[in-house]
Amino acid sequence: MEKKIDSDHIAENEFLNLVAGVKKGDEASMKRVIEMFEEDMKILSKYIPMPKEDALQSMKLELIALIKNSSLTEEEEE
């Protein structure tokens, strides 16, 4: 049986470009990154003791904050 290819699977360099866009405040990049993780967030929200929409919003905000506060490479830090 063939493995199903995940439609949200993207190349690492494309993901890094999205991360760089998020760090620069690009809303399209933010939206795409959130879309990539949204299904997982919906599943995880079932285990967080708060209303589902609040849990989803909190996870989205934390994801964006995590990306914005991360460093991509040593070159970026210079």
Side-chain angles (χ1 to χ4, degrees), residues 1 15-17 23 27-28 42 44 46 56-57 64-65:
M1 184 174 196
F15 181 73
L16 291 175
N17 287 335
K23 291 177 77 65
E27 289 190 29
K42 286 178 182 178
L44 292 171
K46 296 175 185 178
L56 285 171
Q57 187 67 21
I64 296 303

Side-chain angles (χ1 to χ4, degrees), residues 52-77:
K52 183 177 180 176
E53 288 303 317
D54 291 344
L56 285 171
Q57 187 67 21
S58 293
M59 284 188 276
K60 290 174 185 179
L61 289 171
E62 287 296 322
L63 176 61
I64 296 303
L66 177 68
I67 292 170
K68 285 187 173 186
N69 294 323
S70 68
S71 61
L72 292 175
T73 63
E74 292 176 12
E75 294 171 358
E76 183 185 62
E77 293 174 355

Side-chain angles (χ1 to χ4, degrees), residues 35-55:
E35 286 173 354
M36 290 173 60
F37 292 98
E38 195 158 27
E39 285 303 313
D40 293 327
M41 289 182 202
K42 286 178 182 178
I43 293 167
L44 292 171
S45 70
K46 296 175 185 178
Y47 304 101
I48 299 175
M50 63 172 54
K52 183 177 180 176
E53 288 303 317
D54 291 344

